[in-house]
Amino acid sequence: MSSNRGASACRLGTERLVYEYEFDIRAALKSVHKAHTFSVDGIKSTQRRRAASLQEFGVDPTPSILHPNWNALDNQRASAACAFEQFRARAWALGELRASLTSTFRQLRHVTFVDTSDRRTEGELAGFRLASYKRRIARALANLKRTNPDLWAFGIVEISATRTHDNGLLFEPHCHLLVDNASDHDVRASFEAALKGKSDARRPVQLKSVSDCANLARVLGYFLKLVPELRTEVHGDIGRLIKGRTNHLKGPPEAEWLGWMAAIHVAELLIGTGPPANLIREFNERELQPIIEELLRRRINSPNRH
């Protein structure tokens, strides 16, 4: 790696590393998608705001929940609410994980699974059991693998929110997955069987083609955004409900989302079968420097530049 700047003497350890390569890291992320960004001090500021939100929600943001600074990142794993851990996961996915995923792209799909029976009203998100939800997804993948033995999959459980007709708020757990080497018919059938009942989602099981390496990188970046999104629907030209603008949760709903994330680690959100399962197991032990080095190498080798 080549340093962008030398004025970092006041910063030590891991913070000095990321500060010296801040411009390179930002460029590597933007080479995946122009909306991606990175700021050493910006992440520190986000962490301070999250600590204040958690305190208001009644959660003590101890070092095991939120790292106090960049230099604590390799000492232990903090929670999925931690802005430093979220950056580490994003850099890992777009570097080491991305480098390890191979596909012909003939059958690679981005699968979104939404079962509206998993929704939780505001104030009730703590009742959503991640382990039980992941077992349902694991059964769907196991069933799929029995008829598609070369299948591999990598995905993440995400919790967004949506408004009710009376302007209330519902948290909506759902799952995004990359699934390769299985027919669309088999994928759709396996995940439709995982629905608890009739889902009110417009498309409970949605499949999108992932056509090349650049598209794969963009999908991974989307998976690891790890932000509290508020999704809206608006009426289109013919009166049908369509997806509207996505905003971020604020205030008590954001604090509740952070409180749920504070009880788990990022690795617990991840799902994998085939080679990705081994990568997920190794993820918790990976230090930040080799993760960043691989992220920057992937930018150099990437055919997709923005």
Side-chain angles (χ1 to χ4, degrees), residues 191-211:
F191 279 94
E192 285 179 349
L195 294 167
K196 290 181 179 177
K198 185 180 183 300
S199 177
D200 292 331
R202 284 183 290 123
R203 286 177 290 180
V205 182
Q206 181 179 348
L207 276 64
K208 293 182 180 179
S209 176
V210 180
S211 57

Side-chain angles (χ1 to χ4, degrees), residues 45-59 61 66 254-255 258:
S45 178
T46 297
Q47 191 81 326
R48 288 192 294 269
R49 290 196 302 270
R50 290 183 175 185
S53 293
L54 284 171
Q55 285 177 325
E56 291 178 7
F57 189 65
V59 175
L66 298 183
E254 180 191 24
L258 285 170

Side-chain angles (χ1 to χ4, degrees), residues 62-126:
T62 63
S64 65
I65 292 177
L66 298 183
H67 288 305
N69 51 55
W70 279 104
N71 292 330
L73 189 52
D74 284 338
N75 296 337
Q76 65 175 10
R77 297 274 67 83
S79 76
C82 176
F84 298 116
E85 288 285 357
Q86 291 182 354
F87 164 73
R88 177 179 167 274
R90 191 174 307 114
W92 168 79
L94 293 175
E96 294 185 347
L97 176 65
R98 176 183 168 199
S100 301
L101 299 179
T102 58
S103 177
T104 64
F105 299 102
R106 289 194 293 269
Q107 289 186 307
L108 184 59
R109 300 291 182 265
H110 171 189
V111 181
T112 303
F113 174 80
V114 184
D115 188 339
T116 53
S117 67
D118 294 313
R119 287 175 170 175
R120 298 293 184 273
T121 57
E122 186 176 354
E124 301 296 329
L125 182 56

Side-chain angles (χ1 to χ4, degrees), residues 109-220:
R109 300 291 182 265
H110 171 189
V111 181
T112 303
F113 174 80
V114 184
D115 188 339
T116 53
S117 67
D118 294 313
R119 287 175 170 175
R120 298 293 184 273
T121 57
E122 186 176 354
E124 301 296 329
L125 182 56
F128 173 65
R129 298 290 178 248
L130 177 61
S132 299
Y133 183 86
K134 286 182 65 177
R135 282 195 291 271
R136 284 168 60 201
I137 304 302
R139 284 196 295 270
L141 290 173
N143 291 336
L144 197 52
K145 196 172 179 64
R146 275 194 282 272
T147 53
N148 302 270
D150 294 328
L151 175 137
W152 65 258
F154 171 81
I156 189 167
V157 179
E158 181 181 39
I159 295 181
S160 60
T162 186
R163 290 290 181 190
T164 64
H165 67 279
D166 57 356
N167 206 38
L169 186 138
L170 291 169
F171 288 103
E172 186 166 78
H174 57 283
C175 182
H176 293 287
L177 292 146
L178 282 165
V179 178
D180 201 6
N181 300 322
S183 71
D184 289 0
H185 175 271
D186 287 354
V187 172
R188 192 175 297 280
S190 187
F191 279 94
E192 285 179 349
L195 294 167
K196 290 181 179 177
K198 185 180 183 300
S199 177
D200 292 331
R202 284 183 290 123
R203 286 177 290 180
V205 182
Q206 181 179 348
L207 276 64
K208 293 182 180 179
S209 176
V210 180
S211 57
D212 54 30
C213 291
N215 195 202
L216 170 60
R218 286 193 290 272
V219 170
L220 288 174

Side-chain angles (χ1 to χ4, degrees), residues 5-21:
R5 41 178 139 169
S8 58
C10 62
R11 302 180 190 246
L12 302 173
T14 300
E15 181 168 351
R16 182 170 181 170
L17 170 76
V18 292
Y19 182 78
E20 288 183 340
Y21 297 105

